[in-house]
Amino acid sequence: MTTRSIHWQNPTRDYVLFCADGTEQSVSTVEQEVVDVQGDGKVGLYKVRVLHIMEVAIDGSRSEVAELPDSYAERLADFIAALLLDHAPARHSAEITFDLGGEVRSW
């Protein structure tokens, strides 16, 4: 997976999942917020809300994912958490919520 930011100041980001052959598999738009939980001016918690996921077909067409398979949710959540926490001190954590089609699930 790689990431593309819409704009560095925008709270939304697009995460693109690629297949092994380099073709796009899906694009997920998320809203990210950082929370200073200790009041020390440093990030303590990353709150990430997945707003929508577009599945990319072989022909390049895209369709909205309404029902999220657990396997994809787990892979996406693991990737986002690793991306945000990999170079962070141990006191950081991430809360990832999927908000698709009226169904809200935390991961």
Side-chain angles (χ1 to χ4, degrees), residues 57-97:
I58 294 171
D59 66 2
S61 63
R62 296 177 181 210
S63 59
E64 185 96 22
V65 173
E67 292 187 27
L68 184 65
D70 284 343
S71 60
Y72 183 82
E74 183 176 353
R75 285 187 0 210
L76 181 60
D78 288 348
F79 171 75
I80 293 171
L83 177 71
L84 296 174
L85 304 177
D86 216 16
H87 302 290
R91 68 175 182 257
H92 286 82
S93 59
E95 173 186 289
I96 301 170
T97 304

PDB file of all heavy atoms in Angstrom, residues 57-97:
ATOM      1  N   ALA A  57     -11.933  -2.004 -10.475  1.00  0.00           N
ATOM      2  CA  ALA A  57     -12.048  -3.211 -11.299  1.00  0.00           C
ATOM      3  C   ALA A  57     -10.862  -3.303 -12.264  1.00  0.00           C
ATOM      4  O   ALA A  57     -10.101  -2.342 -12.443  1.00  0.00           O
ATOM      5  CB  ALA A  57     -13.358  -3.181 -12.087  1.00  0.00           C
ATOM      6  N   ILE A  58     -10.718  -4.450 -12.895  1.00  0.00           N
ATOM      7  CA  ILE A  58      -9.624  -4.676 -13.841  1.00  0.00           C
ATOM      8  C   ILE A  58      -9.631  -3.652 -14.965  1.00  0.00           C
ATOM      9  O   ILE A  58      -8.585  -3.202 -15.421  1.00  0.00           O
ATOM     10  CB  ILE A  58      -9.694  -6.114 -14.413  1.00  0.00           C
ATOM     11  CG1 ILE A  58      -9.445  -7.116 -13.290  1.00  0.00           C
ATOM     12  CG2 ILE A  58      -8.700  -6.321 -15.542  1.00  0.00           C
ATOM     13  CD1 ILE A  58      -9.687  -8.560 -13.674  1.00  0.00           C
ATOM     14  N   ASP A  59     -10.840  -3.231 -15.395  1.00  0.00           N
ATOM     15  CA  ASP A  59     -10.938  -2.254 -16.484  1.00  0.00           C
ATOM     16  C   ASP A  59     -10.734  -0.811 -16.025  1.00  0.00           C
ATOM     17  O   ASP A  59     -10.830   0.116 -16.803  1.00  0.00           O
ATOM     18  CB  ASP A  59     -12.276  -2.388 -17.212  1.00  0.00           C
ATOM     19  CG  ASP A  59     -13.470  -2.026 -16.334  1.00  0.00           C
ATOM     20  OD1 ASP A  59     -13.284  -1.636 -15.154  1.00  0.00           O
ATOM     21  OD2 ASP A  59     -14.605  -2.135 -16.832  1.00  0.00           O
ATOM     22  N   GLY A  60     -10.475  -0.617 -14.715  1.00  0.00           N
ATOM     23  CA  GLY A  60     -10.235   0.718 -14.178  1.00  0.00           C
ATOM     24  C   GLY A  60     -11.464   1.409 -13.627  1.00  0.00           C
ATOM     25  O   GLY A  60     -11.365   2.459 -13.010  1.00  0.00           O
ATOM     26  N   SER A  61     -12.644   0.815 -13.839  1.00  0.00           N
ATOM     27  CA  SER A  61     -13.862   1.413 -13.286  1.00  0.00           C
ATOM     28  C   SER A  61     -13.872   1.250 -11.766  1.00  0.00           C
ATOM     29  O   SER A  61     -13.227   0.352 -11.218  1.00  0.00           O
ATOM     30  CB  SER A  61     -15.101   0.773 -13.912  1.00  0.00           C
ATOM     31  OG  SER A  61     -15.158  -0.602 -13.597  1.00  0.00           O
ATOM     32  N   ARG A  62     -14.582   2.129 -11.108  1.00  0.00           N
ATOM     33  CA  ARG A  62     -14.620   2.119  -9.649  1.00  0.00           C
ATOM     34  C   ARG A  62     -16.054   1.979  -9.159  1.00  0.00           C
ATOM     35  O   ARG A  62     -16.971   2.524  -9.754  1.00  0.00           O
ATOM     36  CB  ARG A  62     -14.024   3.409  -9.086  1.00  0.00           C
ATOM     37  CG  ARG A  62     -12.564   3.540  -9.422  1.00  0.00           C
ATOM     38  CD  ARG A  62     -11.973   4.831  -8.938  1.00  0.00           C
ATOM     39  NE  ARG A  62     -10.579   4.891  -9.329  1.00  0.00           N
ATOM     40  CZ  ARG A  62      -9.649   5.527  -8.657  1.00  0.00           C
ATOM     41  NH1 ARG A  62      -9.966   6.207  -7.582  1.00  0.00           N
ATOM     42  NH2 ARG A  62      -8.405   5.513  -9.066  1.00  0.00           N
ATOM     43  N   SER A  63     -16.211   1.254  -8.055  1.00  0.00           N
ATOM     44  CA  SER A  63     -17.526   1.119  -7.443  1.00  0.00           C
ATOM     45  C   SER A  63     -17.382   1.220  -5.931  1.00  0.00           C
ATOM     46  O   SER A  63     -16.405   0.749  -5.351  1.00  0.00           O
ATOM     47  CB  SER A  63     -18.181  -0.210  -7.841  1.00  0.00           C
ATOM     48  OG  SER A  63     -17.367  -1.298  -7.442  1.00  0.00           O
ATOM     49  N   GLU A  64     -18.361   1.854  -5.309  1.00  0.00           N
ATOM     50  CA  GLU A  64     -18.367   2.065  -3.862  1.00  0.00           C
ATOM     51  C   GLU A  64     -18.540   0.736  -3.130  1.00  0.00           C
ATOM     52  O   GLU A  64     -19.381  -0.085  -3.504  1.00  0.00           O
ATOM     53  CB  GLU A  64     -19.511   3.008  -3.490  1.00  0.00           C
ATOM     54  CG  GLU A  64     -19.545   3.380  -2.034  1.00  0.00           C
ATOM     55  CD  GLU A  64     -18.868   4.708  -1.748  1.00  0.00           C
ATOM     56  OE1 GLU A  64     -18.750   5.522  -2.661  1.00  0.00           O
ATOM     57  OE2 GLU A  64     -18.473   4.911  -0.594  1.00  0.00           O
ATOM     58  N   VAL A  65     -17.761   0.525  -2.088  1.00  0.00           N
ATOM     59  CA  VAL A  65     -17.887  -0.668  -1.257  1.00  0.00           C
ATOM     60  C   VAL A  65     -18.886  -0.351  -0.148  1.00  0.00           C
ATOM     61  O   VAL A  65     -18.666   0.562   0.645  1.00  0.00           O
ATOM     62  CB  VAL A  65     -16.521  -1.074  -0.654  1.00  0.00           C
ATOM     63  CG1 VAL A  65     -16.678  -2.212   0.337  1.00  0.00           C
ATOM     64  CG2 VAL A  65     -15.541  -1.439  -1.747  1.00  0.00           C
ATOM     65  N   ALA A  66     -19.997  -1.084  -0.126  1.00  0.00           N
ATOM     66  CA  ALA A  66     -21.026  -0.845   0.885  1.00  0.00           C
ATOM     67  C   ALA A  66     -20.859  -1.770   2.084  1.00  0.00           C
ATOM     68  O   ALA A  66     -21.072  -1.374   3.223  1.00  0.00           O
ATOM     69  CB  ALA A  66     -22.413  -1.020   0.284  1.00  0.00           C
ATOM     70  N   GLU A  67     -20.478  -3.017   1.832  1.00  0.00           N
ATOM     71  CA  GLU A  67     -20.257  -3.980   2.905  1.00  0.00           C
ATOM     72  C   GLU A  67     -18.775  -4.315   2.941  1.00  0.00           C
ATOM     73  O   GLU A  67     -18.206  -4.761   1.950  1.00  0.00           O
ATOM     74  CB  GLU A  67     -21.080  -5.240   2.673  1.00  0.00           C
ATOM     75  CG  GLU A  67     -22.571  -4.994   2.816  1.00  0.00           C
ATOM     76  CD  GLU A  67     -23.356  -6.280   2.739  1.00  0.00           C
ATOM     77  OE1 GLU A  67     -22.809  -7.346   3.075  1.00  0.00           O
ATOM     78  OE2 GLU A  67     -24.519  -6.206   2.329  1.00  0.00           O
ATOM     79  N   LEU A  68     -18.183  -4.112   4.076  1.00  0.00           N
ATOM     80  CA  LEU A  68     -16.740  -4.259   4.217  1.00  0.00           C
ATOM     81  C   LEU A  68     -16.373  -5.654   4.711  1.00  0.00           C
ATOM     82  O   LEU A  68     -16.749  -6.028   5.825  1.00  0.00           O
ATOM     83  CB  LEU A  68     -16.226  -3.207   5.202  1.00  0.00           C
ATOM     84  CG  LEU A  68     -14.735  -3.127   5.410  1.00  0.00           C
ATOM     85  CD1 LEU A  68     -14.053  -2.698   4.119  1.00  0.00           C
ATOM     86  CD2 LEU A  68     -14.423  -2.136   6.500  1.00  0.00           C
ATOM     87  N   PRO A  69     -15.647  -6.430   3.915  1.00  0.00           N
ATOM     88  CA  PRO A  69     -15.184  -7.739   4.394  1.00  0.00           C
ATOM     89  C   PRO A  69     -14.189  -7.556   5.538  1.00  0.00           C
ATOM     90  O   PRO A  69     -13.360  -6.646   5.510  1.00  0.00           O
ATOM     91  CB  PRO A  69     -14.496  -8.359   3.183  1.00  0.00           C
ATOM     92  CG  PRO A  69     -14.805  -7.475   2.026  1.00  0.00           C
ATOM     93  CD  PRO A  69     -15.229  -6.148   2.563  1.00  0.00           C
ATOM     94  N   ASP A  70     -14.274  -8.418   6.552  1.00  0.00           N
ATOM     95  CA  ASP A  70     -13.364  -8.314   7.692  1.00  0.00           C
ATOM     96  C   ASP A  70     -11.904  -8.395   7.288  1.00  0.00           C
ATOM     97  O   ASP A  70     -11.061  -7.716   7.847  1.00  0.00           O
ATOM     98  CB  ASP A  70     -13.660  -9.407   8.725  1.00  0.00           C
ATOM     99  CG  ASP A  70     -14.899  -9.104   9.537  1.00  0.00           C
ATOM    100  OD1 ASP A  70     -15.351  -7.937   9.544  1.00  0.00           O
ATOM    101  OD2 ASP A  70     -15.426 -10.027  10.180  1.00  0.00           O
ATOM    102  N   SER A  71     -11.583  -9.216   6.283  1.00  0.00           N
ATOM    103  CA  SER A  71     -10.187  -9.362   5.870  1.00  0.00           C
ATOM    104  C   SER A  71      -9.639  -8.037   5.343  1.00  0.00           C
ATOM    105  O   SER A  71      -8.507  -7.661   5.642  1.00  0.00           O
ATOM    106  CB  SER A  71     -10.051 -10.447   4.812  1.00  0.00           C
ATOM    107  OG  SER A  71     -10.827 -10.116   3.665  1.00  0.00           O
ATOM    108  N   TYR A  72     -10.441  -7.321   4.554  1.00  0.00           N
ATOM    109  CA  TYR A  72      -9.986  -6.030   4.034  1.00  0.00           C
ATOM    110  C   TYR A  72      -9.893  -5.010   5.159  1.00  0.00           C
ATOM    111  O   TYR A  72      -8.932  -4.252   5.241  1.00  0.00           O
ATOM    112  CB  TYR A  72     -10.893  -5.509   2.920  1.00  0.00           C
ATOM    113  CG  TYR A  72     -10.366  -4.210   2.353  1.00  0.00           C
ATOM    114  CD1 TYR A  72      -9.358  -4.226   1.400  1.00  0.00           C
ATOM    115  CD2 TYR A  72     -10.815  -2.980   2.818  1.00  0.00           C
ATOM    116  CE1 TYR A  72      -8.832  -3.048   0.910  1.00  0.00           C
ATOM    117  CE2 TYR A  72     -10.293  -1.804   2.330  1.00  0.00           C
ATOM    118  CZ  TYR A  72      -9.305  -1.838   1.379  1.00  0.00           C
ATOM    119  OH  TYR A  72      -8.774  -0.664   0.906  1.00  0.00           O
ATOM    120  N   ALA A  73     -10.883  -4.976   6.036  1.00  0.00           N
ATOM    121  CA  ALA A  73     -10.875  -4.030   7.160  1.00  0.00           C
ATOM    122  C   ALA A  73      -9.638  -4.239   8.020  1.00  0.00           C
ATOM    123  O   ALA A  73      -8.973  -3.279   8.414  1.00  0.00           O
ATOM    124  CB  ALA A  73     -12.141  -4.193   8.000  1.00  0.00           C
ATOM    125  N   GLU A  74      -9.303  -5.484   8.287  1.00  0.00           N
ATOM    126  CA  GLU A  74      -8.135  -5.780   9.107  1.00  0.00           C
ATOM    127  C   GLU A  74      -6.852  -5.338   8.425  1.00  0.00           C
ATOM    128  O   GLU A  74      -5.987  -4.718   9.042  1.00  0.00           O
ATOM    129  CB  GLU A  74      -8.074  -7.273   9.412  1.00  0.00           C
ATOM    130  CG  GLU A  74      -6.928  -7.646  10.324  1.00  0.00           C
ATOM    131  CD  GLU A  74      -6.935  -9.117  10.696  1.00  0.00           C
ATOM    132  OE1 GLU A  74      -7.896  -9.829  10.369  1.00  0.00           O
ATOM    133  OE2 GLU A  74      -5.947  -9.539  11.313  1.00  0.00           O
ATOM    134  N   ARG A  75      -6.716  -5.625   7.119  1.00  0.00           N
ATOM    135  CA  ARG A  75      -5.510  -5.214   6.382  1.00  0.00           C
ATOM    136  C   ARG A  75      -5.378  -3.700   6.331  1.00  0.00           C
ATOM    137  O   ARG A  75      -4.298  -3.148   6.526  1.00  0.00           O
ATOM    138  CB  ARG A  75      -5.528  -5.780   4.969  1.00  0.00           C
ATOM    139  CG  ARG A  75      -5.220  -7.241   4.919  1.00  0.00           C
ATOM    140  CD  ARG A  75      -5.064  -7.804   3.527  1.00  0.00           C
ATOM    141  NE  ARG A  75      -5.225  -6.846   2.463  1.00  0.00           N
ATOM    142  CZ  ARG A  75      -5.689  -7.137   1.269  1.00  0.00           C
ATOM    143  NH1 ARG A  75      -6.061  -8.349   0.989  1.00  0.00           N
ATOM    144  NH2 ARG A  75      -5.794  -6.216   0.331  1.00  0.00           N
ATOM    145  N   LEU A  76      -6.496  -3.014   6.047  1.00  0.00           N
ATOM    146  CA  LEU A  76      -6.452  -1.558   5.968  1.00  0.00           C
ATOM    147  C   LEU A  76      -6.148  -0.950   7.335  1.00  0.00           C
ATOM    148  O   LEU A  76      -5.311  -0.054   7.453  1.00  0.00           O
ATOM    149  CB  LEU A  76      -7.770  -1.009   5.422  1.00  0.00           C
ATOM    150  CG  LEU A  76      -7.853   0.510   5.271  1.00  0.00           C
ATOM    151  CD1 LEU A  76      -6.771   1.023   4.310  1.00  0.00           C
ATOM    152  CD2 LEU A  76      -9.232   0.924   4.788  1.00  0.00           C
ATOM    153  N   ALA A  77      -6.794  -1.448   8.383  1.00  0.00           N
ATOM    154  CA  ALA A  77      -6.548  -0.938   9.736  1.00  0.00           C
ATOM    155  C   ALA A  77      -5.099  -1.170  10.150  1.00  0.00           C
ATOM    156  O   ALA A  77      -4.452  -0.283  10.724  1.00  0.00           O
ATOM    157  CB  ALA A  77      -7.505  -1.590  10.730  1.00  0.00           C
ATOM    158  N   ASP A  78      -4.557  -2.360   9.858  1.00  0.00           N
ATOM    159  CA  ASP A  78      -3.155  -2.653  10.190  1.00  0.00           C
ATOM    160  C   ASP A  78      -2.208  -1.722   9.449  1.00  0.00           C
ATOM    161  O   ASP A  78      -1.231  -1.231  10.013  1.00  0.00           O
ATOM    162  CB  ASP A  78      -2.805  -4.108   9.856  1.00  0.00           C
ATOM    163  CG  ASP A  78      -3.423  -5.104  10.806  1.00  0.00           C
ATOM    164  OD1 ASP A  78      -3.945  -4.696  11.877  1.00  0.00           O
ATOM    165  OD2 ASP A  78      -3.405  -6.308  10.480  1.00  0.00           O
ATOM    166  N   PHE A  79      -2.492  -1.472   8.160  1.00  0.00           N
ATOM    167  CA  PHE A  79      -1.642  -0.583   7.377  1.00  0.00           C
ATOM    168  C   PHE A  79      -1.666   0.838   7.928  1.00  0.00           C
ATOM    169  O   PHE A  79      -0.623   1.458   8.119  1.00  0.00           O
ATOM    170  CB  PHE A  79      -2.073  -0.578   5.911  1.00  0.00           C
ATOM    171  CG  PHE A  79      -1.369   0.489   5.118  1.00  0.00           C
ATOM    172  CD1 PHE A  79      -0.040   0.333   4.755  1.00  0.00           C
ATOM    173  CD2 PHE A  79      -2.022   1.655   4.777  1.00  0.00           C
ATOM    174  CE1 PHE A  79       0.617   1.328   4.042  1.00  0.00           C
ATOM    175  CE2 PHE A  79      -1.369   2.649   4.061  1.00  0.00           C
ATOM    176  CZ  PHE A  79      -0.049   2.490   3.695  1.00  0.00           C
ATOM    177  N   ILE A  80      -2.867   1.358   8.202  1.00  0.00           N
ATOM    178  CA  ILE A  80      -2.980   2.729   8.705  1.00  0.00           C
ATOM    179  C   ILE A  80      -2.280   2.856  10.050  1.00  0.00           C
ATOM    180  O   ILE A  80      -1.530   3.809  10.284  1.00  0.00           O
ATOM    181  CB  ILE A  80      -4.457   3.161   8.798  1.00  0.00           C
ATOM    182  CG1 ILE A  80      -5.062   3.276   7.394  1.00  0.00           C
ATOM    183  CG2 ILE A  80      -4.592   4.479   9.548  1.00  0.00           C
ATOM    184  CD1 ILE A  80      -6.574   3.475   7.386  1.00  0.00           C
ATOM    185  N   ALA A  81      -2.508   1.898  10.942  1.00  0.00           N
ATOM    186  CA  ALA A  81      -1.856   1.945  12.258  1.00  0.00           C
ATOM    187  C   ALA A  81      -0.341   1.898  12.120  1.00  0.00           C
ATOM    188  O   ALA A  81       0.373   2.674  12.758  1.00  0.00           O
ATOM    189  CB  ALA A  81      -2.360   0.799  13.131  1.00  0.00           C
ATOM    190  N   ALA A  82       0.167   1.019  11.266  1.00  0.00           N
ATOM    191  CA  ALA A  82       1.623   0.932  11.075  1.00  0.00           C
ATOM    192  C   ALA A  82       2.173   2.221  10.487  1.00  0.00           C
ATOM    193  O   ALA A  82       3.222   2.712  10.910  1.00  0.00           O
ATOM    194  CB  ALA A  82       1.957  -0.252  10.171  1.00  0.00           C
ATOM    195  N   LEU A  83       1.461   2.786   9.526  1.00  0.00           N
ATOM    196  CA  LEU A  83       1.901   4.030   8.902  1.00  0.00           C
ATOM    197  C   LEU A  83       1.993   5.159   9.925  1.00  0.00           C
ATOM    198  O   LEU A  83       2.966   5.911   9.956  1.00  0.00           O
ATOM    199  CB  LEU A  83       0.934   4.422   7.780  1.00  0.00           C
ATOM    200  CG  LEU A  83       1.229   5.739   7.075  1.00  0.00           C
ATOM    201  CD1 LEU A  83       2.481   5.604   6.221  1.00  0.00           C
ATOM    202  CD2 LEU A  83       0.049   6.155   6.222  1.00  0.00           C
ATOM    203  N   LEU A  84       0.996   5.262  10.789  1.00  0.00           N
ATOM    204  CA  LEU A  84       0.967   6.357  11.751  1.00  0.00           C
ATOM    205  C   LEU A  84       1.865   6.122  12.956  1.00  0.00           C
ATOM    206  O   LEU A  84       2.392   7.068  13.532  1.00  0.00           O
ATOM    207  CB  LEU A  84      -0.471   6.584  12.242  1.00  0.00           C
ATOM    208  CG  LEU A  84      -1.461   7.047  11.171  1.00  0.00           C
ATOM    209  CD1 LEU A  84      -2.865   7.090  11.752  1.00  0.00           C
ATOM    210  CD2 LEU A  84      -1.063   8.401  10.606  1.00  0.00           C
ATOM    211  N   LEU A  85       2.048   4.867  13.347  1.00  0.00           N
ATOM    212  CA  LEU A  85       2.741   4.572  14.603  1.00  0.00           C
ATOM    213  C   LEU A  85       4.159   4.063  14.432  1.00  0.00           C
ATOM    214  O   LEU A  85       4.902   3.993  15.404  1.00  0.00           O
ATOM    215  CB  LEU A  85       1.939   3.535  15.407  1.00  0.00           C
ATOM    216  CG  LEU A  85       0.495   3.901  15.710  1.00  0.00           C
ATOM    217  CD1 LEU A  85      -0.188   2.758  16.438  1.00  0.00           C
ATOM    218  CD2 LEU A  85       0.420   5.183  16.528  1.00  0.00           C
ATOM    219  N   ASP A  86       4.566   3.717  13.231  1.00  0.00           N
ATOM    220  CA  ASP A  86       5.861   3.080  13.003  1.00  0.00           C
ATOM    221  C   ASP A  86       7.035   3.874  13.567  1.00  0.00           C
ATOM    222  O   ASP A  86       7.941   3.309  14.158  1.00  0.00           O
ATOM    223  CB  ASP A  86       6.063   2.853  11.508  1.00  0.00           C
ATOM    224  CG  ASP A  86       6.790   1.563  11.217  1.00  0.00           C
ATOM    225  OD1 ASP A  86       6.857   0.717  12.118  1.00  0.00           O
ATOM    226  OD2 ASP A  86       7.287   1.413  10.093  1.00  0.00           O
ATOM    227  N   HIS A  87       7.028   5.169  13.367  1.00  0.00           N
ATOM    228  CA  HIS A  87       8.160   5.984  13.819  1.00  0.00           C
ATOM    229  C   HIS A  87       7.811   6.806  15.049  1.00  0.00           C
ATOM    230  O   HIS A  87       8.512   7.746  15.382  1.00  0.00           O
ATOM    231  CB  HIS A  87       8.608   6.907  12.680  1.00  0.00           C
ATOM    232  CG  HIS A  87       8.995   6.150  11.449  1.00  0.00           C
ATOM    233  ND1 HIS A  87      10.116   5.375  11.375  1.00  0.00           N
ATOM    234  CD2 HIS A  87       8.372   6.014  10.257  1.00  0.00           C
ATOM    235  CE1 HIS A  87      10.189   4.808  10.189  1.00  0.00           C
ATOM    236  NE2 HIS A  87       9.142   5.178   9.496  1.00  0.00           N
ATOM    237  N   ALA A  88       6.750   6.440  15.724  1.00  0.00           N
ATOM    238  CA  ALA A  88       6.280   7.206  16.882  1.00  0.00           C
ATOM    239  C   ALA A  88       6.700   6.519  18.181  1.00  0.00           C
ATOM    240  O   ALA A  88       6.888   5.311  18.214  1.00  0.00           O
ATOM    241  CB  ALA A  88       4.758   7.325  16.833  1.00  0.00           C
ATOM    242  N   PRO A  89       6.831   7.292  19.244  1.00  0.00           N
ATOM    243  CA  PRO A  89       7.113   6.697  20.547  1.00  0.00           C
ATOM    244  C   PRO A  89       5.991   5.756  20.975  1.00  0.00           C
ATOM    245  O   PRO A  89       4.867   5.844  20.487  1.00  0.00           O
ATOM    246  CB  PRO A  89       7.182   7.907  21.487  1.00  0.00           C
ATOM    247  CG  PRO A  89       7.408   9.080  20.608  1.00  0.00           C
ATOM    248  CD  PRO A  89       6.780   8.748  19.285  1.00  0.00           C
ATOM    249  N   ALA A  90       6.268   4.887  21.915  1.00  0.00           N
ATOM    250  CA  ALA A  90       5.321   3.858  22.351  1.00  0.00           C
ATOM    251  C   ALA A  90       4.023   4.440  22.916  1.00  0.00           C
ATOM    252  O   ALA A  90       3.017   3.773  22.956  1.00  0.00           O
ATOM    253  CB  ALA A  90       5.972   2.957  23.388  1.00  0.00           C
ATOM    254  N   ARG A  91       4.022   5.690  23.345  1.00  0.00           N
ATOM    255  CA  ARG A  91       2.817   6.245  23.972  1.00  0.00           C
ATOM    256  C   ARG A  91       1.736   6.644  22.963  1.00  0.00           C
ATOM    257  O   ARG A  91       0.653   7.017  23.329  1.00  0.00           O
ATOM    258  CB  ARG A  91       3.171   7.434  24.852  1.00  0.00           C
ATOM    259  CG  ARG A  91       3.648   8.648  24.097  1.00  0.00           C
ATOM    260  CD  ARG A  91       3.849   9.810  25.066  1.00  0.00           C
ATOM    261  NE  ARG A  91       4.254  10.975  24.341  1.00  0.00           N
ATOM    262  CZ  ARG A  91       5.484  11.453  24.285  1.00  0.00           C
ATOM    263  NH1 ARG A  91       6.452  10.832  24.927  1.00  0.00           N
ATOM    264  NH2 ARG A  91       5.757  12.534  23.611  1.00  0.00           N
ATOM    265  N   HIS A  92       2.045   6.549  21.672  1.00  0.00           N
ATOM    266  CA  HIS A  92       1.047   6.839  20.649  1.00  0.00           C
ATOM    267  C   HIS A  92       0.134   5.640  20.449  1.00  0.00           C
ATOM    268  O   HIS A  92       0.549   4.505  20.597  1.00  0.00           O
ATOM    269  CB  HIS A  92       1.718   7.156  19.305  1.00  0.00           C
ATOM    270  CG  HIS A  92       2.355   8.500  19.265  1.00  0.00           C
ATOM    271  ND1 HIS A  92       3.599   8.738  19.769  1.00  0.00           N
ATOM    272  CD2 HIS A  92       1.911   9.675  18.795  1.00  0.00           C
ATOM    273  CE1 HIS A  92       3.918  10.008  19.592  1.00  0.00           C
ATOM    274  NE2 HIS A  92       2.898  10.597  19.003  1.00  0.00           N
ATOM    275  N   SER A  93      -1.112   5.903  20.077  1.00  0.00           N
ATOM    276  CA  SER A  93      -2.024   4.832  19.709  1.00  0.00           C
ATOM    277  C   SER A  93      -2.944   5.334  18.604  1.00  0.00           C
ATOM    278  O   SER A  93      -2.994   6.530  18.316  1.00  0.00           O
ATOM    279  CB  SER A  93      -2.835   4.355  20.920  1.00  0.00           C
ATOM    280  OG  SER A  93      -3.575   5.417  21.461  1.00  0.00           O
ATOM    281  N   ALA A  94      -3.666   4.400  17.991  1.00  0.00           N
ATOM    282  CA  ALA A  94      -4.569   4.750  16.898  1.00  0.00           C
ATOM    283  C   ALA A  94      -5.926   4.119  17.134  1.00  0.00           C
ATOM    284  O   ALA A  94      -6.023   2.969  17.561  1.00  0.00           O
ATOM    285  CB  ALA A  94      -3.997   4.285  15.564  1.00  0.00           C
ATOM    286  N   GLU A  95      -6.966   4.889  16.861  1.00  0.00           N
ATOM    287  CA  GLU A  95      -8.343   4.407  16.922  1.00  0.00           C
ATOM    288  C   GLU A  95      -8.897   4.508  15.505  1.00  0.00           C
ATOM    289  O   GLU A  95      -8.948   5.596  14.937  1.00  0.00           O
ATOM    290  CB  GLU A  95      -9.139   5.290  17.878  1.00  0.00           C
ATOM    291  CG  GLU A  95     -10.620   5.006  17.909  1.00  0.00           C
ATOM    292  CD  GLU A  95     -11.349   6.025  18.768  1.00  0.00           C
ATOM    293  OE1 GLU A  95     -11.182   5.980  19.989  1.00  0.00           O
ATOM    294  OE2 GLU A  95     -12.047   6.865  18.175  1.00  0.00           O
ATOM    295  N   ILE A  96      -9.280   3.384  14.928  1.00  0.00           N
ATOM    296  CA  ILE A  96      -9.726   3.357  13.533  1.00  0.00           C
ATOM    297  C   ILE A  96     -11.177   2.919  13.484  1.00  0.00           C
ATOM    298  O   ILE A  96     -11.535   1.866  14.011  1.00  0.00           O
ATOM    299  CB  ILE A  96      -8.829   2.434  12.696  1.00  0.00           C
ATOM    300  CG1 ILE A  96      -7.380   2.939  12.770  1.00  0.00           C
ATOM    301  CG2 ILE A  96      -9.322   2.361  11.260  1.00  0.00           C
ATOM    302  CD1 ILE A  96      -6.353   2.010  12.206  1.00  0.00           C
ATOM    303  N   THR A  97     -12.015   3.751  12.856  1.00  0.00           N
ATOM    304  CA  THR A  97     -13.440   3.489  12.746  1.00  0.00           C
ATOM    305  C   THR A  97     -13.838   3.468  11.284  1.00  0.00           C
ATOM    306  O   THR A  97     -13.421   4.323  10.512  1.00  0.00           O
ATOM    307  CB  THR A  97     -14.247   4.596  13.470  1.00  0.00           C
ATOM    308  OG1 THR A  97     -13.804   4.673  14.818  1.00  0.00           O
ATOM    309  CG2 THR A  97     -15.726   4.309  13.444  1.00  0.00           C
TER     310      THR A  97
END
